[in-house]
Amino acid sequence: MPPANSDETTNGSITVKLDDLLHDRRMTLTELAERVGLTLANLSILKTGKAKAIRFSTLEAICRELECQPGDLLAYENGQPNDA
């Protein structure tokens, strides 16, 4: 869906706060990968913010193991509007 005002676009982004959650829980990425049944490589892609999507089942498993809510793991950062 195009922006409401086609002269302006926003550069918002979703950030993944997995490092913070792992640190708070004193858990390694390897340990989380084993608990949720993901490869370390796939979990690393998510952690670095390079993932293009996440399955709800994966999000559910991560939240279950980290005892958190999806909003604790993901954040939306609103960018400033740019004139086109």
Side-chain angles (χ1 to χ4, degrees):
M1 185 169 179
N5 180 351
S6 61
D7 292 335
E8 273 186 11
T9 59
T10 57
N11 293 324
S13 65
I14 301 293
T15 57
V16 180
K17 301 181 287 184
L18 188 54
D19 266 341
D20 295 337
L21 292 171
L22 289 170
H23 181 266
D24 291 347
R25 284 143 181 86
R26 294 187 172 96
M27 186 184 298
T28 65
L29 194 63
T30 302
E31 183 179 353
L32 180 62
E34 290 172 359
R35 288 182 178 199
V36 299
L38 290 174
T39 65
L40 186 57
N42 284 339
L43 204 52
S44 181
I45 289 169
L46 178 63
K47 182 186 84 145
T48 59
K50 295 179 182 179
K52 300 293 181 192
I54 183 171
R55 293 180 184 196
F56 281 148
S57 59
T58 300
L59 183 59
E60 181 182 331
I62 292 170
C63 288
R64 180 188 66 241
E65 293 303 323
L66 295 179
E67 298 179 355
C68 68
Q69 294 295 312
D72 298 329
L73 180 64
L74 304 172
Y76 174 71
E77 293 182 2
N78 190 7
Q80 297 298 317
N82 295 327
D83 290 332

